[in-house]
Every structure is written in structure tokens, then in C-alpha cells.
Amino acid sequence: MRKWVLASALSGLFAILVIGSFSSKGYEPTELMKLKEKYSVKRSPSVDHSLFVSLQKKFSSPQEVTITCISCHNKRHIEVMQSNHWNWEREEYVQGRGIVYLGKKNAINNFCIGTQGNETSCAKCHIGYGMDSKGSVFTDSSNVDCLVCHDNTETYVKASEKGGAPPASLNLNLIAQSVGTPKRSNCGVCHFYGGGGNNVKHGDLDMAMFEPTKVLDIHMGTDGSNLSCVDCHTTEKHNISGKIYSLSSMNHQRNTCEQCHTANPHEDAVLNEHTLKVSCQSCHIPIYAKENATKMYWDWSTAGKLRDGKPFVEEDSMGNHIYMSIKGSFEWKKNVKPDYVWFNGTASHYLEGDSIADSSTPLVLNPLHGSYADEESKIIPVKIHSAKQPYDPINKILIQPKLYADKKGEGAFWKDFNWQTAAEIGMKEVHLPFSGKIDFIETKMYWPVNHMVASKEETVQCRECHTRDNGRLASLTDFYMPGRDYSKPVETAGQGLLLLTLLGAFFHGSTRFIIKKRNQRKDKE
Amino acid sequence: MSKKSVYVYRSFERFWHWFQAMLIFFLAFTGFEIHGTYSFFGFRNAVTYHNIAAYLFIALIIFAIFWHVATGEWKQYVPTFVHIKAQLNYYIFGIFNNAAHPVKKTVLSKLNPLQKLTYFGLKILVIPVIVSSGLLYMLYRYPQRYGIETLNVQSLETIAIIHTIGAFLLTSFVVAHLYLITTGETITSNLKAMLTGYEELEIKDDQTSPSIE
């Protein structure tokens, strides 16, 4: 008998070994390893632009460079001129208003309010030359600024208030000979400084991202994967993927984490379940503005104070402007915990001339759509920027003031510091009525937070949301969340029942005990 | 009439009982942590452990059902109202005056009528409710994921509240049950019986022992 048992056990073991050796799967790289392998290879240009004869001649204007670029890349300027980067607007469908052309051109934002009438100043970041308020730049292909995106010398810059032109001192030949794929610096030079300074707008995009560490952003860290913007913001015919909902409303051409990491990236099934209702960013970006503070509040109503008849600027200890005569007062914050909202990928916008239905509550300039009940919606982290903006209390519309002008006396607020004339001229330029009355209204703007992704060790922990008081999701009350929510009657009744049971047991038991003792005493007697 | 040590609770029954007791205690402890009542394991661990214990509990229930059917032990739980007043009288009055247990325990009828009624209620109401709401709690998003409209659960709220009600009922039962252990022939006799399987039962001298080996 023992022999048989031993023999069958040994043959069983042998069988397992044989099957095991045949079915060994070998080495299988994880998704993360595949991603790292793919993105560790950096693209190199297929040609050396410094050897092209046409780029040897002396360039006297940036337009000459563009004409030379187009002589070989003879369709690229058309692509650029069809892009929203160029046009400052794109065709969008907005729920409730149908198809609209939406962009910097007509949207009101929480910062410098709007571009119309102020184009020459805004054009510091426009990808074209010769920008003026008439829009003539939009049709001339030699005005396409190829270099601002493709310069790889990191020396190309645009001059202030020159309608998009670079300073004359630049070596255009050297720059034209070293063009290539856009680097972080090409994108960052505009996108990190939007709204008139470093990290003013986004909160998760600032100059620290030129050379970030892994701690600042796990993807872009130069000591890690070292991704550049275009690794994720991939481009098809100069149409760049990924967009920000300050100016966009449709759920298409987005950049999502899932595009690389799949919809179920965790080993833990419970965590994967979260991905149905919670965006990756919500847990993986616990804080933003990690290195430099970001502007959280902008109060235009205090603008215009002068010292000795001159505008002045006040700074806080970190060097952030807290007051500027031309712009008003600001509040800044560093290491900010995001706010959280439901978002289904679509948004609405306050466009120039829209009437304000209720001026007693803050006006949201870009309401993001979504709710728990909406299957497409997920919770996303946002920076909520608040402001106080001028508005016309009679016509109930936001005022687009004339801010920028070359000279004093043209009515621009930044030169003359007079709201009345700035509003009058500004509204005339955008062909909107102005009653002559100016008031200030609180406005809010949502900026989805997508960058400054933390390592998995630094992510938001379960208890930060699943907690009774002051959790990260305390403001999202349209669903039941374990650990946070409960039914008050059930809680009271349940605790009551438990207490009654305990008391019942206690009194029943102690009565038994007392009577037993008494009987024992009686027996003795 | 004489007393004899009889084998009342067979090994599977005892294993089932104690394993179930452990699981229910652990599920309640981790469950109320998930509920937000206190913090001990940490939320994430509490969820992980609660889910593992839940699957073990379901496996145990399946085994127990099989065992009850195979041995016919399920008949023990058929509720009866006979002697129920006597049993209630015993707990409210008799127990204080050293009265005898009104219902004689035999191997064929281990449970008194109150136990029968309570356990029957647990088996057909509380446990099924807590298990099915627990399963929905764990899986509630999956129907939505696969787009089966009829199974689409819009919110966790109802599921979670039903599960919480079940948890309060079961916890109260455990408290009462723990106390009632002490109401046997002696304070520890019920506990001993559930541990060893043997209990001192009154046997008529002329009858052969009904104990099954």
C-alpha cells in the first residue's frame, strides 16, 4: 500500500514537471516596460538642414525663411493655416447653441478677458507675423511662423507687442539650419506663460516643465522617461491632438492616459473598477503647481490705482505679482489640491455678447458637462480660477475693455487707466452695446489638470476620498460613496438595535447572576 | 432517565459553525471600517480583506448547503411554533428560578423552537440579503460596463443601505448569540458541546443511544 502511494505521488510530481516545462511562457515584458522601450528612442531628423543650399543665403526677414521652408515643404503651410493654432478658432458643436466657431477670437476668459482689440499684444504667441486687429495676417502664407515650433537652437523668440515678429537681432540662418521636431521649449515658451506670466493660467504647466524631474512629472522627468510634449500630443498634418476646455467644447481629438496605459492599467481589480467613473488624473495628480505658484484669483475691480500719477507693481515674498495697476489684485497658491468635477468631454462657453441670466451667483465661463448618472462622465481634477470682471449691469453682458494700445490717449486701460473709455472703445470694437454703466461680477473658469503626474507611490490614497468628513470628493454629492455616505435613519436604528441587544444581554445576565447568588445564600442557610 | 455524553455536533457541523463565526466577525469588523465607523486596517486593506472573506463565506455557504441536504440536517431548521411560548417563558422567567429547559435536546432535534425560528430567519432572509447585496456591491459596475440595460444599476445607494441593514442585524444576532451561549445546563456546557461535539443529554434508560457514529 505505502509503495503505491509513494509511486503515484512521484509520478504525479513528474507529470507536473513535464507539463510545466512545455508550457513555460518565457519572458513577457509588462505594459510599462513596452512603453518605456517605445519612448526611450528619440526621433532624429532624416535630413541635415544645415547642408541645404537654400538655407545658406542670408535671411533679412522671418518671412523669407518661411518662403524657403515652403519651397520644399510645399503643403505644410496650408495645414498650419487650417489649424486652430493659426485661426484662433475651430468649428465646435455646443449643446444648446448648435455649431459655433469658438476660440480665442470670441471666448471670454478669466485672465485678460478677451483678445479682440488687443491682438497686437496677444500676438506675442501667435504663430504668424504681422498680426493686427484687422486679421490680414490670416491669409498670407509667408506669415506662417515655422520657426517658433521647429527651432531647435532654443534661441528663437518673439518680440513683445510686435504683432508676432521676432526681434531683429536673431541669427535666422543658424536657426533655419537647425530645425527639427518641436521640443519642450518650443511649446512651453507660449503655453507655460499664458495669461501674462509663468504658470498664470494652467497651474500644471509652468517653466519648471522645461527641465522637470521625475518628482515634478513622472513622464517628462529628464531623470526618467524624459518625454517631450509631442510624444503624447501627436500630430497629423499639423493638427495637434489634445486640447484644453477653456476654449473647446467637443469630445474629440483628446489626449487621454488610456491611449498609452489602457483602460485597466492596475493589477488590483478594485482599482481598475474605479477607472469607469474616475479619471487617471484624479488619483495620479494629488497636487499641482508643485514648483511655482499659480494664479488662483484675479480682481480687476482694484485696477487703476496710481502712485505719484504712475502705475506700480507689488510683489509677495516669492516674487509673484499681488497687485498691478494695469491688472488689479491677484492671489497665488503653490502645491494646490485640485477641485474635482464630473466631466463627459463636452463643455459650454460664455461667448462675447452672451447675456448673463443671474448676476447674483458667480458666472462660470466654461461650464464642464457631466454627472454621476451620465455614463460618459468621469471625475476629473480641475483648477478653479476665480476673478472679478467688468460687466454692464444694464445690458447684462461682460465688458470687453480695450486694454492695449501703443500710445496714451487712445483709451486703452493699460495706458490711460480709465474704465469708462476703455469699456466704451472696447465694446465699440467688438460691435456690442454699452450702456455707460460698469459693475464688477465674479466669474469662474475650470482648467482641467493633466500634467505634473506623480509616481504611483505619491498618488491619492483611498481614505482621502472614502472618508466621512472633508474628503477630496466632498463636493460631489450626486452618488453614494463607501466610507463617506450612509443613511441616517439606518445608522440610528442600527446603532439603537445593537445597543438594545447589548443592554438586554447585560441586564438578563446580571439578573441571573444576582438571583443565583441569592439562591446559593438561601441554600446555605 | 439518566445523563449520558452524546455526540451531537459532528465535525463538519463544528467546522462550519466556527469558520462561519470567524468569517462573520471578520466581515463585520472590516465592513464597519469600510462603512467609515473607525479606522484599523486602512481603507484599502479593509476592502481587500472584506472581499476575500466574502468569497470564503460564499464558498462555505455552498458547502454547508450541500452538507445539510446530504445529511438531512436541514430538517433541524424547520420552524415550529409548538412550545415557543414555553421557551419564551423560560428565558423571561424560568431561567431566573433554576427551572428546567422546557425543550429536551436530542440528536434528532438539537434546536429549541426559538432557535429554529431565529436561524430559519437568518438562513432565508438575513444571509441571502446580505450575500446578494454584497455581491452587487462588489460587482455593481460591471453590468453597466457590458451595457446590459436590464441589469443596469444606477446607484450604489440602495445596495449599500440594504447591505448595512443586514450588517446591523447580523451583528446584533452575534451579540445575542454570544450571550445565549451561557444559558445552557451550566454556563460553559453549550460552548463545550460546540467545541468537542459531545454534550450531556438526558437519555431514557430503556432507549438505545440515538447518537450516530
Side-chain angles (χ1 to χ4, degrees), chain A residues 264 268-277 372-373 375 462-463 466 468 480 482-487 490-491 494-495 497-498 501-502 505 508-509 511-512 515-516 519, chain B residues 33-39 43-44 47 51 91 95-96 137-138 140-142 144-145 149 152 154-157 160-161 164-165 168-169 171-172 175-176 179 182-183 187:
Chain A
N264 294 299
D268 184 335
V270 177
L271 287 184
N272 276 337
E273 236 176 84
H274 281 73
T275 60
L276 270 161
K277 289 285 182 194
Y372 175 80
E375 279 182 35
C462 311
R463 264 284 173 236
H466 295 278
R468 292 243 164 134
Y480 183 97
R484 180 188 71 176
D485 298 323
Y486 56 91
S487 148
V490 169
E491 205 69 5
Q495 285 172 359
L497 178 68
L498 262 177
T501 317
L502 278 166
H508 198 267
T511 314
R512 270 170 66 205
I515 288 175
K516 198 179 169 190
N519 287 348
Chain B
E33 175 162 10
I34 295 166
H35 189 56
T37 313
Y38 44 75
S39 201
F43 190 83
R44 187 168 177 176
V47 171
N51 288 356
Y91 283 128
I95 194 167
F96 302 118
Y137 206 134
M138 279 196 280
Y140 85 104
R141 286 178 232 232
Y142 294 114
Q144 206 166 37
R145 170 179 293 175
E149 286 294 323
N152 214 340
Q154 280 303 333
S155 163
L156 190 58
E157 185 161 21
I161 289 171
T164 314
I165 293 173
F168 275 120
L169 287 176
T171 311
S172 303
V175 171
Y179 169 66
T182 65
T183 62
I187 283 186

Side-chain angles (χ1 to χ4, degrees), chain A residues 236-255:
Chain A
E236 178 88 39
K237 293 190 184 295
H238 279 95
N239 206 355
I240 302 168
S241 71
K243 49 188 190 171
I244 188 73
Y245 280 83
S246 49
L247 286 171
S248 187
S249 72
M250 278 165 78
N251 189 10
H252 72 162
Q253 228 208 332
R254 283 170 74 183
N255 261 17

Side-chain angles (χ1 to χ4, degrees), chain B residues 24-178:
Chain B
I24 287 179
F25 175 76
F26 189 72
L27 281 163
F29 191 69
T30 50
F32 278 107
E33 175 162 10
I34 295 166
H35 189 56
T37 313
Y38 44 75
S39 201
F40 182 79
F41 289 116
F43 190 83
R44 187 168 177 176
N45 287 337
V47 171
T48 313
Y49 301 156
H50 192 79
N51 288 356
I52 294 169
Y55 283 121
L56 283 174
F57 188 47
I58 290 167
L60 186 66
I61 287 172
I62 293 166
F63 274 110
I65 288 172
F66 172 75
W67 180 81
H68 277 96
V69 172
T71 59
E73 284 287 300
W74 59 272
K75 289 182 195 125
Q76 301 275 3
Y77 303 97
V78 176
T80 165
F81 289 93
V82 182
H83 302 313
I84 203 154
K85 209 173 155 196
Q87 190 66 35
L88 269 172
N89 258 325
Y90 172 75
Y91 283 128
I92 299 170
F93 305 109
I95 194 167
F96 302 118
N97 300 319
N98 244 343
H101 278 264
V103 185
K104 293 282 165 284
K105 191 185 265 188
T106 70
V107 172
L108 292 175
S109 179
K110 300 170 190 170
L111 306 174
N112 73 47
L114 266 183
Q115 282 177 310
K116 282 185 190 220
L117 203 65
T118 312
Y119 295 173
F120 181 72
L122 275 181
K123 279 167 191 295
I124 70 143
L125 193 73
V126 179
I127 302 278
V129 161
I130 211 163
V131 168
S132 52
S133 62
L135 276 172
L136 282 172
Y137 206 134
M138 279 196 280
L139 307 172
Y140 85 104
R141 286 178 232 232
Y142 294 114
Q144 206 166 37
R145 170 179 293 175
Y146 299 116
I148 304 167
E149 286 294 323
T150 47
L151 284 177
N152 214 340
V153 184
Q154 280 303 333
S155 163
L156 190 58
E157 185 161 21
T158 322
I159 296 167
I161 289 171
I162 290 173
H163 199 64
T164 314
I165 293 173
F168 275 120
L169 287 176
L170 204 54
T171 311
S172 303
F173 163 77
V174 169
V175 171
H177 187 74
L178 283 173

Side-chain angles (χ1 to χ4, degrees), chain A residues 222-235:
Chain A
T222 49
D223 51 347
S225 311
N226 199 11
L227 299 193
S228 66
C229 310
V230 293
D231 281 329
C232 293
H233 295 274
T234 50
T235 301

